Amino acid sequence: MEFLAALLTSLLGLAGAPGVVIDRTAADLLRGQLVSAETLEVRVDNTPNFQILQGKVDRIRMAGRGLYILPFLRIDSLDLETDSISIDPDRVRSGELKLLRPLQAAVRVVLKSEDLNRALRSPTIAKSFKGIKADLSSIASGTKAEEFDLVDPEVTFLDGNRLRLNATVQPIIKTSGGTRAEPLVVAIETKLDVVGGTRLELTDPKAFFKGVDVPSQITKAFVRTLNRLLDLRQLESSGITARVLKFEVNEGHLQLIGFARLEPMK
């Protein structure tokens, strides 16, 4: 909301300027709202330009590569295109944004597996994999560990909207012989589904260690954290409704196509 108010305020001041100036100003403002961006292009379509003075914009299009909206998560590419925008120009001049009708935008996002893996290993996310409680005796002879950490998590995108998750299980307490338990590398395979159009969710996870089923606490820790990252309902507290219309998982990347809607504030 803060970005859009700043952007439209600037556009009002540039209503008579050539399109390239408006586009550059919009790109600079958007870049200032991000942690960082490798490339970012914004195009403001308005014919004629002076209708911005009336609070109207035909369309805003954005294409970004290597975007960091959060410090720990890189988005490989994001393309966005809004419908026409109608705002109260007097309120924008005073630094407020009042939509006269809902703002809608079509969105396409591509996320690469290596970027997701860096996010999973970041301090912000890695703490979710600490101090997990489970009985590991079924997969590690002599181990009485009841608490462990998941370290070095790695996601591999597979065809057919499936993912493989690998991680090292590091027991925290000692074995029955008095020495520290050896780490175990486990693999989890799961399917990715859209639930209610509002979130991507890992379903039917199966975890194995040398062909033996792994305790459910391990799969739950992974699935719970990833599901939280992929839940679009987190945006609703900001007045934004987001929906996934289509997604596909191919080797190396995940692509999402959907829309976002921002309702006028009362």
Side-chain angles (χ1 to χ4, degrees):
M1 289 287 287
E2 291 82 2
F3 156 71
L4 192 52
L7 172 59
L8 293 173
T9 300
S10 296
L11 295 184
L12 284 171
L14 293 169
V20 65
V21 175
I22 294 178
D23 295 346
R24 187 183 304 120
T25 299
D28 289 344
L29 282 165
L30 179 54
R31 189 181 294 274
Q33 300 298 310
L34 302 171
V35 176
S36 66
E38 294 167 14
T39 63
L40 184 64
E41 296 180 0
V42 178
R43 180 183 176 95
V44 181
D45 295 331
N46 230 22
T47 305
N49 271 350
F50 64 75
Q51 75 170 347
I52 296 175
L53 294 172
Q54 302 168 350
K56 298 177 181 178
V57 177
D58 290 338
R59 177 174 55 183
I60 295 177
R61 290 181 284 178
M62 187 197 83
R65 301 295 180 267
L67 304 181
Y68 285 85
I69 299 175
L70 300 171
F72 55 85
L73 180 60
R74 178 184 183 272
I75 296 174
D76 186 65
S77 64
L78 187 150
D79 298 284
L80 178 148
E81 182 174 321
T82 72
D83 290 344
S84 61
I85 302 172
S86 181
I87 53 143
D88 183 335
D90 294 329
R91 298 283 287 274
V92 171
R93 289 190 185 93
S94 63
E96 299 179 52
L97 174 63
K98 180 176 176 55
L99 293 170
L100 299 181
R101 64 169 180 264
L103 170 61
Q104 295 192 141
V107 184
R108 173 182 171 271
V109 178
V110 175
L111 183 64
K112 287 188 173 181
S113 56
E114 56 260 38
D115 295 323
L116 182 56
N117 288 331
R118 276 192 290 269
L120 289 174
R121 295 169 183 172
S122 70
T124 302
I125 302 301
K127 62 185 179 183
S128 300
F129 300 137
K130 302 292 186 182
I132 300 167
K133 299 183 183 300
D135 180 3
L136 301 178
S137 60
S138 62
I139 61 174
S141 178
T143 298
K144 293 185 177 180
E146 296 180 352
E147 191 172 354
F148 62 90
D149 296 337
L150 283 177
V151 298
D152 298 327
E154 181 174 285
V155 172
T156 302
F157 292 133
L158 307 174
D159 291 336
N161 293 340
R162 295 191 66 81
L163 289 81
R164 179 183 298 115
L165 314 170
N166 294 313
T168 298
V169 177
Q170 178 63 69
I172 294 175
I173 66 173
K174 297 178 180 180
T175 65
S176 56
T179 60
R180 187 174 179 82
E182 291 295 321
L184 312 169
V185 179
V186 299
I188 303 170
E189 289 208 6
T190 181
K191 187 176 181 182
L192 190 62
D193 289 317
V194 176
V195 178
T198 61
R199 66 189 188 276
L200 293 173
E201 189 170 279
L202 302 179
T203 60
D204 193 29
K206 303 293 184 184
F208 302 95
F209 173 73
K210 295 183 178 180
V212 178
D213 286 354
V214 167
S216 62
Q217 290 91 340
I218 294 177
T219 58
K220 287 179 180 178
F222 242 135
V223 168
R224 183 172 57 248
T225 301
L226 281 173
N227 284 348
R228 187 168 65 247
L229 282 174
L230 298 172
D231 192 344
L232 300 178
R233 292 175 300 178
Q234 299 174 80
L235 300 172
E236 292 176 1
S237 61
S238 301
I240 299 172
T241 301
R243 293 288 184 270
V244 177
L245 302 178
K246 178 182 177 182
F247 82 98
E248 60 182 20
V249 177
N250 293 311
E251 187 173 351
H253 71 273
L254 164 68
Q255 176 178 262
L256 300 174
I257 297 174
F259 76 90
R261 178 184 177 96
L262 179 61
E263 297 288 346
M265 300 296 289
K266 299 298 184 181

